[in-house]
Amino acid sequence: MMALPGGRHLDSITLPGQRLHLMQVDSVQRWMEDLKLMTECECMCILQAKPISLEEDAQSDLILAGGPGPGDPLQLLLKRGWVISTELRRIGQKLAQDRWARVHSMSVRLTCHARSMVSEYSAVSRSSSQEMGQIEKLLMEKCSELSAVTERCLQVENEHVLKSMKACVSETLSMLGQHFGQLLELALTREVQALVRKIDASDNIYTTESTTGNLFSLTQEGAPLCRIIAKVDGVLCLANILTDDSHSEATRAEAAAVVAQVTSPHLPVTQHLSSFLESMEEIVTALVKLCQEASSGEVFLLASAALANITFFDTMACEMLLQLNAIRVLLEACSDKQRVDTPYTRDQIVTILANMSVLEQCATDIIQENGVQLIMGMLSEKPRSGTPAEVAACERVQQKAAVTLARLSRDPDVAREAVRLSCMSRLIELCRSPSERNSSDAVLVACLAALRRLAGVCPEGLQDSDFQQLVQPRLVDSFLLCSNMEESFV
C-alpha cells in the first residue's frame, strides 16, 4: 500500500485496457515490471547515484530508462510511490527485528528510489512549486540522515547504546514517511487537477471520454485519490458531462462511475464535497435519466450505484428522487432483464428504496407502483453462481429489503399489503431457516425487526409459536434463539 499523510494508504488497483495498472495483475508480470525499478536501484547504489554521462540529455535518458516511461507523470508517481511505500514498510519490519545490516542496505536503496522519483517527476512535470521544492529537500535530507544513522548502528556493539539509536532511527523513518506522503499527495493533487482541467477545456468527445476513464481509474485507488478528486472539484466537472446529452452514453456512464466512487459512504471524504451540493439536483436528475434510458445492465448499474451513494451522502437527494418519480423508474427497470438481471444491480435499487423509505410520502408511491411485491421478491434473492461476491450481494439485498419493509410498514396500508402478499411467512422462514439467509446475522436482525413491525399492525397473521418466539421476547433473545436454531420449517 502507498502511504499518505496522517496514516492514510493508497491501495492497489486493476485497470483495463490502456489505463493505469499496478497490483492486481499476473504475479510474474508484476515481478518483471518491478524488476526494472529494482535493478536500476541496485545500479545506482553501486554508482552512488552518479550519472555515467555528463551530457544532460544522456543523464535524463538514464534516469527514465527503468521507470514507468516519460510523459505519464501520474503512472510514474503511482509506481514509484508504491515501491517507496513498500520499502518503508519493509525497513520498519527489519528494524523491529534488529536486523541492522538489512536496515542499512534497504535505507540506501530507499534513498535511491526517492532520488529517482524526484528526478523523474521533475523531468516530466510542468513546473515545480516552492512548497514541493521544500518538501523534496526535506525528504532527501531525511533519506541521507537515515542512511548515515543506520551505518553508524552497524559499528555499535553496546546493546544499550543501540537501543537508544533504534529510537532515533524509528523517529527518522517516521518523519521520512511523513515527508514522502506530503510530497506524493502534493504531486498527485497537481496531476489530478490538470486532468480535471483537461476535461473542462476539451471540446473533443474522444479526449473527454479517455480522460474521464483515467479519472475513474484513479478513483479505484481508494480514499486518498477520491478525496483529491473531490478536493479539486472533479465532481463538478463530471456534472457537466452527465448533464450534456451530446456526450455518448458510455462517457456519461463513466462519469457516473466516478461520482459513485467519490461519494461512496465507505470513504471519509465527504468534508471535501460541500461544493457538490450546489450541483446535486442537476447530477441526480441526470442520473435518473441515465437509469431510465440505459441501454445495458452495466450503464444502469453505474448510474444506480451513484444514486445509491448520493442518498447516503445527503437526505435532500431522497426528496429530489421523489419529485423526479425515481421510484417508478427504478421499479419499472426491475422488470427489464436487459437492465436489471444481477443481485449487484438489485442491491443498488433496494439501497435507494431503503434510504427513501424514511420519508413518509414514499409509502404512497411504493403502493401505487406495486413496490411491496418487488420487495417481497427481493426477500427471496438467491445467488446463481455461488461465488462469495454474489452470495454477499444476495445477503445485502435480503437485509435491505427487510429494512425497507420495516420502515414502510409504519404506514398501515403498506403493512396490510405486505401481509396480503405473505411477507410475514417469508420473514418467518428467513428467521427460522439459516440456509435461506446463508446464515447471515445481519439478515436475521433485519427480518426480526420487519416481522415485529408487521405484527404490530396485523398480529392475526402469526401463529402462537411464532409470536412467542419471534415477537414477544426481547429482540436479542429472539436473535439468539434463531441464530442457534437447527433448520426447521415448523
Side-chain angles (χ1 to χ4, degrees):
M1 291 188 291
M2 195 178 295
L4 287 182
R8 298 189 298 274
H9 292 84
L10 198 61
D11 297 323
S12 58
I13 58 176
T14 299
L15 305 169
Q18 296 181 349
R19 299 176 188 169
L20 306 178
H21 63 287
L22 288 179
M23 294 280 292
Q24 297 174 0
V25 294
D26 179 76
S27 56
V28 175
Q29 181 184 349
R30 176 71 250 179
W31 173 74
M32 291 178 68
E33 290 181 0
D34 290 343
L35 187 61
K36 292 186 293 185
L37 301 175
M38 295 298 184
T39 51
E40 176 199 358
C41 175
E42 296 297 338
C43 293
M44 291 188 69
C45 287
I46 295 172
L47 296 170
Q48 293 296 307
K50 295 177 182 178
I52 294 176
S53 172
L54 296 178
E55 296 181 15
E56 192 171 324
D57 291 341
Q59 182 179 346
S60 298
D61 291 341
L62 174 67
I63 294 173
L64 291 169
D72 195 351
L74 267 171
Q75 187 174 6
L76 186 153
L77 288 169
L78 293 171
K79 277 184 171 259
R80 281 292 185 190
W82 178 81
V83 171
I84 292 174
S85 297
T86 302
E87 290 292 339
L88 283 168
R89 186 181 70 251
R90 291 174 62 195
I91 290 174
Q93 293 172 348
K94 301 304 179 186
L95 180 62
Q97 299 169 0
D98 294 330
R99 297 179 62 180
W100 291 106
R102 292 289 295 144
V103 169
H104 175 62
S105 63
M106 292 170 70
S107 298
V108 174
R109 190 163 64 200
L110 175 67
T111 302
C112 295
H113 281 310
R115 185 180 290 111
S116 293
M117 187 183 82
V118 170
S119 299
E120 291 172 6
Y121 183 65
S122 297
V124 298
S125 64
R126 297 152 188 82
S127 60
S128 181
S129 66
Q130 183 178 358
E131 184 180 11
M132 285 187 64
Q134 291 174 347
I135 297 177
E136 287 175 1
K137 182 180 179 182
L138 290 172
L139 173 64
M140 297 316 303
E141 286 177 353
K142 284 298 175 183
C143 284
S144 299
E145 182 180 332
L146 182 66
S147 297
V149 71
T150 53
E151 185 176 13
R152 289 199 300 272
C153 289
L154 292 175
Q155 314 301 323
V156 176
E157 297 182 358
N158 188 302
E159 290 186 5
H160 295 290
V161 175
L162 204 57
K163 187 175 182 180
S164 63
M165 294 184 73
K166 182 177 180 179
C168 178
V169 172
S170 180
E171 182 180 355
T172 302
L173 188 65
S174 177
M175 289 300 299
L176 193 158
Q178 289 183 31
H179 293 320
F180 163 68
Q182 291 169 359
L183 178 62
L184 184 61
E185 180 162 7
L186 273 176
L188 286 172
T189 299
R190 181 178 168 188
E191 296 305 323
V192 171
Q193 196 166 36
L195 208 59
V196 170
R197 288 172 179 167
K198 185 177 180 181
I199 295 175
D200 275 333
S202 176
D203 293 327
N204 186 296
I205 294 176
Y206 300 105
T207 300
T208 301
E209 183 174 350
S210 173
T211 310
T212 305
N214 289 337
L215 202 60
F216 170 65
S217 299
L218 291 176
T219 63
Q220 298 183 69
E221 285 281 357
L225 262 297
C226 288
R227 181 178 53 79
I228 290 173
I229 292 171
K231 185 170 66 175
V232 300
D233 290 337
V235 177
L236 296 181
C237 103
L238 294 165
N240 296 329
I241 296 176
L242 283 169
T243 55
D244 187 350
D245 291 336
S246 67
H247 290 294
S248 67
E249 183 187 71
T251 302
R252 285 182 286 136
E254 198 99 59
V258 179
V259 173
Q261 292 282 352
V262 174
T263 57
S264 172
H266 305 294
L267 302 179
V269 299
T270 52
Q271 67 270 24
H272 295 291
L273 288 170
S274 57
S275 59
F276 172 65
L277 293 173
E278 301 173 7
S279 301
M280 187 167 68
E281 185 173 359
E282 291 82 0
I283 292 174
V284 169
T285 302
L287 290 171
V288 171
K289 183 179 179 182
L290 191 57
C291 285
Q292 190 171 18
E293 300 175 351
S295 62
S296 68
E298 183 181 1
V299 172
F300 186 92
L301 174 62
L302 294 173
S304 59
L307 282 175
N309 288 348
I310 291 173
T311 59
F312 281 110
F313 174 63
D314 194 276
T315 54
M316 283 195 308
C318 296
E319 298 174 0
M320 292 176 186
L321 288 171
L322 273 178
Q323 296 171 4
L324 294 167
N325 293 320
I327 290 178
R328 178 179 57 80
V329 172
L330 294 172
L331 297 185
E332 284 181 354
C334 288
S335 60
D336 182 359
K337 296 301 182 183
Q338 186 175 355
R339 287 185 290 168
V340 181
D341 195 31
T342 68
Y344 307 107
T345 307
R346 282 186 281 274
D347 181 22
Q348 306 308 322
I349 292 173
V350 75
T351 298
I352 297 170
L353 295 177
N355 288 338
M356 291 181 68
S357 63
V358 299
L359 303 176
E360 292 183 6
Q361 58 268 41
C362 179
T364 304
D365 289 3
I366 289 286
I367 292 177
Q368 289 178 352
E369 301 295 336
N370 295 321
V372 178
Q373 187 170 0
L374 172 69
I375 295 170
M376 171 70 176
M378 289 181 171
L379 289 172
S380 301
E381 188 75 29
K382 296 285 186 182
R384 294 179 183 177
S385 65
T387 61
E390 190 173 356
V391 170
C394 290
E395 290 177 16
R396 293 194 300 271
V397 171
Q398 288 183 327
Q399 178 196 6
K400 293 170 186 177
V403 169
T404 304
L405 189 60
R407 291 175 177 175
L408 291 173
S409 295
R410 296 188 308 263
D411 187 310
D413 292 336
V414 174
R416 283 190 287 268
E417 177 68 6
V419 173
R420 186 184 71 80
L421 293 170
S422 302
C423 281
M424 293 180 77
S425 299
R426 178 56 183 162
L427 289 170
I428 291 169
E429 185 179 23
L430 285 166
C431 291
R432 291 191 177 279
S433 176
S435 64
E436 287 295 309
R437 62 176 190 271
N438 195 43
S439 301
S440 168
D441 289 342
V443 175
L444 174 58
V445 171
C447 289
L448 285 170
L451 183 62
R452 289 167 180 241
R453 181 61 62 86
L454 290 174
V457 179
C458 302
E460 63 275 8
L462 284 174
Q463 296 182 3
D464 289 343
S465 59
D466 294 326
F467 181 80
Q468 292 170 5
Q469 294 179 352
L470 304 178
V471 177
Q472 191 176 44
R474 295 182 307 161
L475 181 63
V476 64
D477 293 332
S478 295
F479 170 80
L480 292 173
L481 173 69
C482 294
S483 59
N484 296 320
M485 186 179 291
E486 293 295 329
E487 185 161 323
S488 170
F489 293 94
V490 179

